[in-house]
Amino acid sequence: MESLIKSQHAQKQAGYSGKTPGTEIIPATTGLTMSSDESMMLKLIQQTHSPDAREVQVRGLLSLVEDILDRATLDSDDSNASVSMLPLPTDDKLMQSSMMSVLDSVSYAIDRVACEIAYKSLTGSDAHEITMSVFEHLSSFHWDGKLVLTLAAFALNYGEFWLLVQFYSKNQLAKSLAMLKLVPVQNRVTLESVSQGLNDLIREMKSVTACVVELSELPGRYITHDDPQLSRIISTIPIAVYWTIRSIVACISQINMITAMGHEMMNTQMDSWETSMLANKLKNIHDHLAETLRLCYRHIEKQRSSESLKMLHSLFDTTHIDNMKILTALIHPKNHTTPLQDGLTKRKVHLDVLRRKTVLLLISDLNILQDELSIFEQIYTESRSSLLGADGKSHMPYEVVWVPIVDPIEDYDRSPSLQKKFEALRAPMPWYTVDSPKLVERYVVEFMRERWHFMNKPILVVLDPQGNEASLNALHMIWIWGTEAFPFTRAREEELWRRETFTLNLIVDGIDAIIFNWINPENYIFLYGGDDLDWIRRFTMAAKATAKDSNVKLEMAYVGKRNHSHREQIRRISEAVRAENLSHSWAEPALMWFFWARLESMLYSKIQLGKSDDHDEVMQGIKKILSYDKLGGWALLSKGAEIVMITHGVIERTVTVYDRTWKTHVPTKGYTKAMYDHHHDEVLRETGHPCAHFDFHITARSGRIPEKMNCFECHRPMEKYMSFACCHDEKLLDQDENYNF
């Protein structure tokens, strides 16, 4: 900070100001302007400023001065007219020892300024002349030094005045000295006038001084002359120093006037106009400096965050022997030795529990769905149980850590509801959790957004035992294959896909044992979805009638709808399906969420692996289900595990016209072949094939949204759009952004 002010001073001496008198020298938003007179005055002040290499420990001296002024201010409600009795420092000897070295080098300057102001105020010099004289005497000090030394000179004068008042009735020496100095200790009106008249002004003087000192302590590597805005707003510091010293001169002049005139002042109220004007002036200056500090700290934070962000990227691009440096950089701020909570014991633990282990970072905001957590916990718990050793301990090859994100983090401190929400979310978690969202630094969140494409929706970043990124988001692998996907690498993902074919086993694996048990070559199975209960009633009753008449065993299961905004409606439909015995349906909403999450995960996984969707059977099938779900009702028919067809809502028409059309073909073609042929040759010829439509959530933007897609019906390239959808889920109203194909 001083380097910046010195640089500005050098430019002034060289004849360059960069501004014209009478213009505003800080942004309009800060609320402080300079008149032409003040611009000229600034030039005069700058001419007196020739700081040398000496350094004053202004912080320690200011603490002593503030202590004096705080104790020497009369409480207007104190009927005994005594000074404020604040608690004494706990280590007075230590304070005295540390201050002696500070005062040795500046005591002469303090005494000289005190005498200069006292003498000139009694000889009739005006306040501006005295103030400029102080600047001349303190020309070799920096701006913060000038101000603190002058405030110390005032504390010397003001503190003595109130010390004599306090001990007048208790100590003969104080009484005699007060009489000699003509301190009006017995005049309550005069003492209250002094106290009330100066209290507000002294408070503003201390506030401005504290701001100037704080500005001077800002690190010069971040606050430089290269930044025009910062240089511009900091250039007002000399004016702030001037008006504070001028206010000090006014205070000392009034105190000296009282003691100099003695009993003639007994019945005279102090003129409050000048002190009130100066207090208002300093208040405006303080508001400006406080805003300047806010801007400076924001600038410093941005610079430091930028540096930390670069260092974090560099750290991840470096080879390590274990994962501790990486984990410490992410979730281990200084002075916090136990940043994790063990989900099983609820004890605080050190990061060492993760040393040389594969670590799965579950990163999310506090709006993570309970369905998602429920399914993830089920997978985690089953994996942990299956790996229990003879010693009763789990030998899991990885550990999970929940990293809660609140951005901006200031919202967390201000919101008890967010704090309660965090505690409620982590309470049932059996894995490790970061002990507080506040332990995740702002630049770390920015890093997660830049490198891992975190956009508030949950991601699962996998770090291997050396801290290398095995996967930027393994959630889709977890949803598809569970912990069988370990170690969650791209190679493992490709290996697992080579073992898969597009069958009903893939669609429902790990979701529902009932449906899984239906899968045998003799059974026909309909999975269907939609949000139209009337359509569901017509379709299920007609489908069951065709199966009964054809003497085949048909099982049916309602799987809901992908869109979470229909959650409550789907819950009511599911209840009606079960109550009316229309078909099988999941009572747990989490299972419906999991069904659709797995389908989306399969699509995302294929896209990330760069598979050609036109020739990929799994890709084509998943696209059909997701696209038809957008249209309304849809159905998937399989014979055992083999998927026969996936179609949209016109399947209801196909099964409804069974008696009049394809019934006669069942004995010769079989149930599925007869239905398929009529559906494709007759029904779809009349209704047409609806073209595809997909939504990709904005959180899937990086690596998951393909540059191009072809329609699975007409095989032509699809167009890409951007849309905004309001998602209302569990009384939470969020704005979701989607890419539409």
Side-chain angles (χ1 to χ4, degrees), residues 312-326:
L312 199 51
H313 278 288
S314 176
L315 194 63
F316 270 85
D317 294 332
T318 305
T319 303
H320 306 281
I321 60 173
D322 63 23
N323 55 6
M324 292 311 293
K325 283 187 177 180
I326 293 292

Side-chain angles (χ1 to χ4, degrees), residues 496-592:
L496 290 169
W497 272 123
R498 284 194 292 269
R499 292 160 30 181
E500 298 288 359
T501 56
F502 189 58
T503 63
L504 192 60
N505 302 69
L506 176 64
I507 299 296
V508 300
D509 185 26
I511 300 178
D512 185 355
I514 293 176
I515 298 177
F516 203 77
N517 290 334
W518 290 345
I519 302 175
N520 68 69
E522 302 303 319
N523 280 357
Y524 297 87
I525 303 167
F526 259 127
L527 298 186
Y528 68 96
D531 56 2
D532 184 341
L533 184 56
D534 289 337
W535 178 89
I536 291 172
R537 289 184 177 119
R538 294 194 303 270
F539 168 64
T540 54
M541 288 188 288
K544 286 189 286 187
T546 65
K548 182 177 181 180
D549 188 74
S550 300
N551 197 28
V552 298
K553 186 175 182 181
L554 176 66
E555 304 287 359
M556 303 186 74
Y558 175 64
V559 296
K561 193 171 181 64
R562 178 190 183 194
N563 195 333
H564 294 300
S565 64
H566 294 250
R567 179 187 179 91
E568 183 59 27
Q569 181 184 5
I570 298 303
R571 184 190 64 78
R572 291 195 299 267
I573 291 174
S574 180
E575 289 179 352
V577 167
R578 294 193 303 275
E580 298 175 25
N581 200 27
L582 299 177
S583 75
H584 176 62
S585 180
W586 296 311
E588 298 179 40
L591 292 180
M592 283 191 182

